[in-house]
Amino acid sequence: MTGFAAIGFREEQARAVLEAVDPDEVVAFLQALVRVPSVNPPGEVADAIAICAAPLADAGFSTNTPTHAEGKPNLIASVGPDRGPVLAFNAHVDVVPIGDRGAWRHDPFGAEIADGRVYGRGAGDDKASVTAQVMAALALVRSGVPLRGRLLVTEVADEETSGAGAIHVIREAGVRPDGVIVGEQTLNRVAIGEKGAAGVEIEVSGRTAHGALPWEGANAVEGMAHVIVALRRELQPRLNERTHPFFKPSSASVNLIEGGVKANVVPDRCRIYIDRRLIPGEEPAASTAEIAEIAREAIRKLEGLAVEIRPSFEALPATMSDPDGALAKAMLAANAHLGLATELTGFSMATDGRHFAAAGIPTIIYGPGDPRLAHVPDEWVGIEEVLEATRAYALAALALIGGE
């Protein structure tokens, strides 16, 4: 990797790039993407990837669609000289299911426009970022500004499940840029990393008995209640004290519970799932051990009960790129030019950025939309937000690889 040079862009070049952004084209592209029901599962995204690839190919990008599973191509579009630094845009075209159709006022795949918003599943997560990245790449090329480096546009499948698309692009297709800007809903703020995840399952086991003779059993549900109260009493205050200048505090949330077999049977099993999110500096193994200690102590004096704690998936540490690095500086310079936010932040959700970071590639997260609207009925994104992100991506790319 070559590395990025000094950050900056000339005013006349910035003007040329911004003038090459066509608002009507941006909105039409976003609507076309939202109308493709690329729901995961099953996660078939061929039509969405084709929509992304077509205008880039027409503009002179070389395009490749390596596939890691049937119906799941990933786009790698490339433009610019082989010499010099390499910048990658990355976002995902798969979306989560719509859930209860009756909870939607707007057609989930209609891409309806109302009050300056585009509505639909994936409008924000993550097709707004996909749109802004593709349109920014087109604007950069159409501006006629010479490039001193290479731009890769990687739009992938399977972010909403395994991250297999991004992993395939990195490991099998050999994408190794000098830096990656991952598109997610950051309200067009510059996030220099994302929280880690260390989900934990806790299972309390006891002894079954007839519901009329509860003293003959050991009630696992009641035991779990002690565990939940202990976690709230002892763990939560510790997490509230774990802060970071760029991230919201460390967190743990009991999000699933199951137990019991019948209304008149003392339950001998109860299980909960804890969604544990980590800030930089927290270790996944230590986080799980901390929860285990509290859970064991909570039921230690309860006769007939035992507890088992196990990770629910491979834990992911938090990621963070250099706040003074080239990626952050370029994105902040773009925002400053456009009058947008210039304070760094961290992202609370998991993204494909963690896979690039794990490969040693500097990674930031940036995109239009409010993360609180992801995965909910009547998901929407503001049209002006998408246009702002398009312009910001284009200016950041100009700063990093343009202006030869």
Side-chain angles (χ1 to χ4, degrees):
M1 293 190 292
T2 304
F4 299 114
I7 306 304
F9 42 74
R10 295 200 294 271
E11 182 61 34
E12 66 274 14
Q13 292 179 336
R15 188 181 309 113
V17 169
L18 294 178
E19 288 175 352
V21 175
D22 181 343
D24 291 337
E25 183 184 24
V26 173
V27 174
F29 185 93
L30 174 57
Q31 287 182 291
L33 268 186
V34 172
R35 288 169 181 152
V36 175
S38 49
V39 174
N40 199 353
E44 296 180 357
V45 299
D47 290 344
I49 290 296
I51 289 173
C52 296
L56 294 170
D58 290 344
F61 285 73
S62 64
T63 60
N64 182 27
T65 52
T67 301
H68 63 275
E70 184 176 356
K72 298 183 178 184
N74 305 282
L75 174 63
I76 304 174
S78 177
V79 72
D82 291 332
R83 67 186 187 281
V86 180
L87 170 67
F89 291 157
N90 169 264
H92 65 92
V93 294
D94 62 319
V95 302
V96 299
I98 66 169
D100 178 10
R101 177 63 180 87
W104 289 74
R105 293 181 297 110
H106 298 270
D107 181 347
F109 301 109
E112 298 170 10
I113 294 177
D115 300 321
R117 303 168 175 177
V118 175
Y119 283 85
R121 175 57 81 226
D125 185 18
D126 193 30
K127 292 178 177 180
S129 288
V130 173
T131 296
Q133 291 182 351
V134 171
M135 293 291 108
L138 291 175
L140 186 67
V141 169
R142 291 170 178 172
S143 72
V145 172
L147 301 180
R148 55 185 168 82
R150 199 158 188 81
L151 176 63
L152 304 178
V153 181
T154 67
E155 310 300 349
V156 301
D158 269 346
E159 189 275 347
E160 294 290 3
T161 52
S162 62
I167 293 170
H168 186 78
V169 162
I170 297 165
R171 296 179 184 174
E172 303 302 325
V175 170
R176 286 291 191 279
D178 294 282
V180 180
I181 303 174
V182 173
E184 289 285 356
Q185 294 167 291
T186 70
L187 294 166
N188 288 342
R189 296 184 65 192
V190 184
I192 56 170
E194 64 185 72
K195 281 187 173 182
V200 173
E201 288 183 350
I202 299 179
E203 183 171 326
V204 172
S205 57
R207 185 173 63 253
T208 191
H210 195 290
L213 305 171
W215 51 83
E216 297 292 336
N219 193 312
V221 170
E222 292 181 358
M224 187 64 79
H226 283 263
V227 172
I228 293 172
V229 169
L231 289 170
R232 172 61 58 180
R233 182 181 61 242
E234 300 176 34
L235 179 62
Q236 195 58 52
R238 302 179 197 177
L239 301 184
N240 291 341
E241 294 175 357
R242 295 176 193 169
T243 60
H244 190 280
F246 301 126
F247 289 83
K248 293 185 182 298
S250 182
S251 67
S253 177
V254 179
N255 289 351
L256 290 173
I257 185 168
E258 59 180 25
V261 294
K262 200 169 182 290
N264 62 348
V265 177
V266 174
D268 65 345
R269 297 279 173 181
C270 187
R271 184 184 299 112
I272 62 171
Y273 169 76
I274 301 174
D275 187 345
R276 180 74 170 86
R277 302 296 171 126
L278 313 173
I279 61 174
E282 291 188 297
E283 293 296 329
S287 167
T288 300
E290 180 178 46
I291 291 173
E293 179 183 8
I294 293 172
R296 292 187 182 112
E297 181 61 26
I299 69 160
R300 183 173 59 85
K301 297 180 180 180
L302 301 179
E303 185 178 352
L305 296 179
V307 64
E308 181 181 355
I309 299 93
R310 51 185 174 268
S312 59
F313 53 80
E314 183 179 357
L316 305 166
T319 68
M320 191 174 78
S321 289
D322 182 0
D324 295 317
L327 283 176
K329 285 185 175 180
M331 206 74 244
L332 288 174
N335 267 17
H337 188 88
L338 298 169
L340 303 177
T342 55
E343 301 82 21
L344 293 173
T345 188
F347 198 60
S348 293
M349 288 79 163
T351 79
D352 274 340
R354 65 189 186 273
H355 304 302
F356 291 97
I361 302 169
T363 304
I364 64 171
I365 306 162
Y366 182 98
D370 187 335
R372 294 174 297 181
L373 300 175
H375 302 185
V376 303
D378 282 324
E379 179 182 351
W380 60 268
V381 67
I383 290 173
E384 188 56 37
E385 293 177 77
V386 182
L387 294 173
E388 289 172 345
T390 301
R391 297 172 182 130
Y393 281 133
L395 289 179
L398 177 64
L400 292 164
I401 61 168
E404 188 176 55

